[in-house]
């Protein structure tokens, strides 16, 4: 059986917009823009045939709502193996931390067993409100969350770049205080990671 790697991308909560119409006006359109493939869109190919790579089936990713994402995330669960590698970025780190706490893990409906997360990657994780962005329905209390997340995650990796202009680096330092056994990967010039075409560190950590 292939090792499953499941990736879930970041987004912007709907609470950051006054209305859906404001969100639509915020969207950019350029028919001549070249399609940009960042590191997570090519990760599956780079991992090789021994891995099965899934990306979450999300809709309205930039007008994000926790309950809506929960519906879409749970469509993936019947296809999950008993053990997975789970990589999340930004707001999706918020989602998975809250989801693991709220549901005490991930339950596979076919066999009524919980998924074991071999490796959990929290990349530029958003865990608190900032002056520019509110977590909205994704907000959670880290004091309550960390014990259940640790219960179902064999190894946690925290990635963050000091020059991240969207989620302050200090949020991952705080996250690391709750997960002192986590492997902390600190970067200086990768921003919020979404403009990076390559992230060899995660390939190495997945295969290690």
């Amino acid at each position: 059986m292939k090792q499953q790697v499941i990736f879930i991308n970041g987004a912007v909560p709907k609470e950051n917009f006054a209305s859906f119409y404001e969100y639509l006006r915020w969207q950019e359109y350029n028919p001549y823009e070249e399609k940009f493939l960042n590191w997570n869109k090519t990760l599956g190919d780079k991992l090789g045939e021994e891995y099965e790579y899934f990306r979450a089936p999300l809709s309205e990713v930039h007008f994000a709502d926790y309950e809506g994402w929960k519906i879409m995330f749970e469509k993936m669960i019947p296809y999950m193996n008993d053990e997975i590698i789970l990589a999340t970025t930004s707001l999706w780190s918020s989602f998975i931390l809250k989801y693991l706490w709220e549901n005490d893990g991930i339950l596979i409906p076919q066999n009524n067993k919980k998924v074991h997360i071999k490796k959990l990657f929290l990349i530029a994780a958003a865990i608190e409100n900032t002056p520019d962005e509110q977590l909205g329905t994704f907000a959670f209390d880290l004091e309550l969350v960390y014990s259940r997340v640790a219960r179902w995650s064999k190894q946690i990796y925290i990635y963050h770049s000091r020059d991240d202009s969207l989620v302050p680096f200090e949020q991952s330092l705080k996250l690391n205080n709750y997960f002192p056994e986590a492997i902390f990967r600190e970067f200086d010039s990768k921003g919020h990671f979404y403009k990076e075409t390559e992230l060899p560190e995660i390939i190495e950590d997945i295969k290690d």
Side-chain angles (χ1 to χ4, degrees):
M1 182 179 295
K2 293 184 178 182
Q3 173 67 69
Q4 282 185 341
V5 178
I6 296 172
F7 177 81
I8 311 173
N9 211 348
V12 182
K14 66 180 182 180
E15 283 76 12
N16 289 271
F17 302 96
S19 69
F20 185 65
Y21 304 118
E22 181 191 0
Y23 153 72
L24 293 177
R25 295 186 185 100
W26 176 74
Q27 296 294 299
E28 295 182 356
Y29 171 71
N30 181 357
Y32 303 110
E33 184 178 14
E34 292 186 14
K35 187 176 182 180
F36 175 69
L37 296 178
N38 66 7
W39 63 271
N40 63 68
K41 292 184 176 68
T42 60
L43 180 58
D45 292 335
K46 291 176 180 177
L47 286 173
E49 293 184 357
E50 66 268 33
Y51 292 89
E52 186 176 38
Y53 185 64
F54 292 166
R55 287 174 61 87
L58 301 180
S59 59
E60 301 302 349
V61 294
H62 292 299
F63 196 72
D65 170 72
Y66 176 80
E67 289 299 325
W69 277 18
K70 183 177 176 181
I71 291 170
M72 298 305 293
F73 176 72
E74 290 180 343
K75 291 179 184 292
M76 300 181 71
I77 296 176
Y79 299 96
M80 290 183 186
N81 295 336
D82 292 345
E83 181 181 84
I84 65 172
I85 293 173
L86 182 57
T88 65
T89 64
S90 195
L91 187 66
W92 257 103
S93 297
S94 312
F95 171 87
I96 204 63
L97 291 170
K98 182 174 180 177
Y99 186 92
L100 292 174
W101 164 71
E102 185 182 69
N103 298 278
D104 195 12
I106 301 170
L107 180 67
I108 301 176
Q110 305 97 299
N111 56 22
N112 209 36
K113 291 182 178 179
K114 294 291 180 75
V115 172
H116 291 274
I117 304 173
K118 182 179 180 180
K119 296 181 179 182
L120 173 62
F121 291 87
L122 303 171
I123 303 170
I127 63 171
E128 294 178 331
N129 293 332
T130 70
D132 298 322
E133 186 168 302
Q134 303 297 306
L135 289 181
T137 56
F138 294 87
F140 60 90
D141 185 342
L142 192 55
E143 188 73 37
L144 300 176
V145 163
Y146 79 95
S147 61
R148 287 187 176 180
V149 174
R151 178 186 303 170
W152 296 109
S153 305
K154 184 175 180 180
Q155 181 65 66
I156 295 174
Y157 292 78
I158 299 173
Y159 282 41
H160 216 128
S161 185
R162 286 189 172 273
D163 67 337
D164 190 332
S165 62
L166 296 178
V167 178
F169 180 77
E170 289 71 24
Q171 293 204 19
S172 280
L173 293 178
K174 181 174 182 178
L175 190 62
N176 196 205
N177 287 336
Y178 282 87
F179 300 104
E181 303 302 319
I183 296 174
F184 197 112
R185 301 282 187 235
E186 178 182 327
F187 303 88
D188 291 318
S189 58
K190 293 190 181 295
H192 201 53
F193 292 92
Y194 67 94
K195 292 184 179 180
E196 298 296 312
T197 57
E198 304 284 343
L199 191 60
E201 293 82 2
I202 195 171
I203 295 175
E204 293 173 7
D205 284 335
I206 287 173
K207 291 188 172 185
D208 184 25

